[in-house]
């Protein structure tokens, strides 16, 4: 199957086009898929619908990069419509074996196309020798049906190799309608054996009725299960998004397929973060992408013929049983103009208007042993605060406000003698990293030309501020090597 180029939706306006984040040339984007390194390139695939800026029958969009920042858009890797994926090529992952790139993905099937809640799902394989053109395995599906005690929800396989065998975890739901993670094992990627359920929801309101996009990996001596549960009940300052993304920390036993873990922790506290996928880079870093949007959120760019974006690629590290998340070092390579300010005394300081191009603002806070009061990062438009981040150094609490019907998000941070804040702004996004990635917020934010950047602080708080313009010289490339 191939995309009908004559029917691909056209972009009519680039007003919200991101400068240094990956987004589709046109059409719809959601979950990152198949994050892998192959033949000198990082490859990222993504859920993609080319014929509208709304969600539709899922394809796999595809881009590659030498440096995780400059992305080259490639032809769609998977197009639905074959026997094994008639109604969609849903999320999955990638692995390199025998000098070939293999994709493992979920095939989606409707019993009746007029009844979208009545479907079935299986797991399929595709492969490529050049990393650009893919062939679906002739004997798909490789996993035809879920266990008998499963519902119809059975998707998002994440594959890896361990001690000469291949393992895959799959998001699912048991008969009691509780989220869980299934595991399978294989010697060759083609024949798979069910090993069991490695983790399961306590209850639908505590840990969710469905678990999507699972990812199991080892980091700093611990086994991390990163996934997206659906259905966790919102609390006053936690679980406020429609769906969450977070992790368990624990210990996994391969022989027994047993995973003992701690409590669920949200990974990102912003409005727009979902469906993560990680990969182990050649230099040993564990790197993660997330979808920088949320289901049922307002996406003004849809009116322009496109929708959706991925976060900056971020490195994950584990410290004191907490996942830290920071932009990859390669982001520093697109810094251009630099400004420096040492801010003392004054209560409010303006950094001028935001030009809707790339911007990084780095703040270092001094003398925090005095437990000084508040710091606010503010975006103001037409004399109204449209966005702010308020850090309270007395309590270690942080509050984010974004104008809209669901404005507030909350988190906390370690209160030490010094601290820092990194803010990455793009034409329609802002990403915030507190204390070296201890606390993170991801947001789609649709700026206008009048947006002014300000900070407000208590008198005694001394701040060093560095500001960089970010420029990747024209954004996402469509040229192929």
């Amino acid at each position: 199957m191939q995309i009908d180029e004559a029917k691909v939706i056209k972009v009519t306006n680039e007003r919200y086009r991101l400068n240094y984040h990956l987004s589709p040339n046109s059409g719809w984007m959601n979950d990152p898929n198949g994050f892998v390194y192959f033949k000198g390139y990082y490859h990222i695939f993504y859920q993609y619908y080319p014929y509208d800026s709304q969600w539709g029958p899922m394809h796999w969009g595809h881009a590659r990069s030498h440096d995780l920042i400059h992305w080259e858009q490639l032809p769609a890797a998977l197009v639905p419509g074959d026997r094994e994926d008639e109604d969609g090529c849903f999320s999955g992952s990638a692995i390199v074996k025998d000098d070939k790139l293999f994709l493992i993905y979920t095939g989606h099937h409707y019993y009746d196309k007029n009844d979208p809640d009545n479907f079935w799902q299986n797991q399929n394989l595709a492969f490529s020798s050049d990393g650009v053109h893919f062939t679906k395995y002739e004997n798909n599906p490789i996993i035809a049906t879920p266990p008998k005690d499963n519902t119809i929800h059975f998707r998002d396989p994440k594959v890896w190799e361990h001690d000469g065998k291949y393992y895959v975890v799959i998001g699912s739901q048991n008969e009691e309608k509780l989220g869980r993670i299934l595991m399978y094992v294989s010697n060759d990627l083609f024949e798979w054996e069910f090993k069991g359920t490695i983790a399961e929801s306590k209850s639908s309101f505590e840990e969710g009725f469905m678990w999507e996009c699972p990812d199991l990996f080892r980091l700093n001596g611990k086994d991390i299960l990163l996934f997206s549960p659906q259905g966790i009940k919102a609390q006053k300052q936690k679980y406020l998004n429609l769906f969450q993304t977070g992790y368990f920390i624990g210990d996994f036993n391969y022989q027994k397929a047993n995973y003992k873990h701690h409590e669920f922790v949200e990974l990102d506290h912003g409005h727009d973060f979902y469906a993560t996928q990680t990969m182990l880079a050649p230099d040993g870093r564990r790197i993660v992408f997330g979808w920088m949007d949320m289901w049922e959120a307002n996406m003004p760019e849809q009116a322009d013929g496109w929708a959706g974006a991925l976060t900056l690629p971020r490195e994950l590290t584990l410290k004191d049983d907490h996942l830290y998340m920071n932009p990859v070092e390669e982001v520093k390579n697109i810094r251009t103009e630099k400004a420096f300010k040492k801010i003392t005394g004054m209560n409010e300081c303006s950094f001028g208007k935001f030009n809707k191009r790339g911007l990084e603002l780095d703040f270092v806070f001094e003398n925090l042993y005095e437990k000084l009061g508040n710091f606010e990062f503010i975006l103001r438009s037409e004399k109204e605060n449209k966005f702010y981040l308020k850090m309270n150094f007395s309590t270690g609490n942080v509050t984010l406000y974004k104008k809209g019907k669901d404005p507030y998000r909350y988190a906390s941070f370690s209160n030490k003698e010094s601290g820092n804040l990194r803010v990455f702004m793009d034409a329609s996004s802002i990403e915030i990293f507190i204390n070296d990635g201890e606390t993170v917020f991801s947001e789609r934010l649709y700026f206008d030309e009048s947006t002014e950047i300000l900070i407000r602080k208590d008198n005694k708080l001394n701040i060093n501020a560095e500001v960089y313009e970010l420029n990747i010289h024209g954004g996402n490339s469509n040229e192929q090597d």
Side-chain angles (χ1 to χ4, degrees), residues 242-481:
L242 177 63
F243 301 132
Q244 278 64 53
T245 293
Y247 59 93
F248 294 139
I249 296 175
D251 295 291
F252 181 68
N253 186 308
Y254 276 88
Q255 285 69 40
K256 297 179 180 179
N258 178 266
Y259 182 59
K260 296 180 180 179
H261 59 82
H262 302 312
E263 297 297 311
F264 178 77
V265 179
E266 286 186 277
L267 180 60
D268 188 296
H269 301 275
H271 289 79
D272 298 296
F273 186 80
Y274 193 68
T276 50
Q277 187 161 122
T278 78
M279 61 94 71
L280 188 64
D283 58 10
R285 291 178 295 172
R286 177 63 59 172
I287 303 174
V288 63
F289 268 110
W291 180 40
M292 195 164 52
D293 279 293
M294 178 54 61
W295 296 112
E296 300 184 14
N298 182 36
M299 300 180 186
E301 73 269 28
Q302 286 182 298
D304 303 334
W306 68 281
L310 300 187
T311 63
L312 280 173
R314 303 165 179 181
E315 182 180 359
L316 291 174
T317 53
L318 184 67
K319 303 175 186 177
D320 300 323
D321 280 353
H322 180 86
L323 271 185
Y324 285 66
M325 188 162 55
N326 277 295
V328 293
E329 281 293 306
E330 287 88 341
V331 174
K332 294 179 180 178
N333 295 333
I334 60 170
R335 290 172 171 173
T336 55
E337 297 296 323
K338 176 183 177 180
F340 175 81
K341 287 188 178 184
K342 187 172 183 65
I343 304 164
T344 60
M346 67 183 72
N347 292 102
E348 187 170 286
C349 177
S350 174
F351 285 76
K353 297 290 180 68
F354 178 49
N355 59 15
K356 294 182 69 173
R357 294 192 290 271
L359 200 65
E360 175 188 348
L361 302 100
D362 296 348
F363 302 95
V364 176
F365 309 110
E366 301 174 342
N367 302 326
L368 296 183
Y369 59 86
E370 297 180 11
K371 302 300 182 188
L372 300 165
N374 297 314
F375 168 86
E376 291 182 77
F377 178 88
I378 302 165
L379 299 176
R380 182 180 296 165
S381 178
E382 298 176 351
K383 298 182 180 181
E384 179 185 12
N385 292 350
K386 299 293 182 70
F387 176 95
Y388 67 75
L389 183 89
K390 183 175 183 179
M391 300 172 65
N392 187 316
F393 293 106
S394 301
T395 64
N397 294 326
V398 57
T399 300
L400 180 144
Y401 168 86
K402 178 170 70 172
K403 185 180 179 182
K405 64 179 180 179
D406 177 27
Y408 293 100
R409 291 294 182 267
Y410 308 90
S412 60
F413 59 95
S414 297
N415 224 345
K416 301 177 181 178
E417 292 185 7
S418 63
N420 58 70
L421 170 70
R422 296 180 75 189
V423 179
F424 289 82
M425 298 174 64
D426 206 339
S428 58
S429 73
I430 184 168
E431 292 165 275
I432 294 169
F433 302 84
I434 298 172
N435 285 358
D436 301 316
E438 175 191 10
T439 304
V440 181
F441 295 86
S442 298
E443 303 282 341
R444 292 300 300 277
L445 198 60
Y446 297 87
F447 298 102
D448 59 46
E449 300 295 343
S450 67
T451 301
E452 183 183 9
I453 304 168
L454 306 101
I455 64 166
R456 186 181 295 134
K457 70 179 185 65
D458 290 345
N459 268 329
K460 294 182 180 179
L461 183 62
N462 295 329
I463 302 172
N464 292 325
E466 293 183 354
V467 181
Y468 301 90
E469 288 190 6
L470 304 179
N471 186 354
I472 63 167
H473 309 294
N476 302 334
S477 168
N478 298 306
E479 297 179 2
Q480 296 182 37
D481 291 351

Side-chain angles (χ1 to χ4, degrees), residues 195-206:
K195 292 290 286 184
T197 299
I198 66 165
E200 195 165 72
S201 174
K202 293 177 182 176
S203 67
S204 60
F205 66 88
E206 285 182 283

Side-chain angles (χ1 to χ4, degrees), residues 141-152:
I142 54 172
I143 305 175
T145 58
K148 291 182 179 179
D149 64 343
N150 216 72
T151 67
I152 58 177

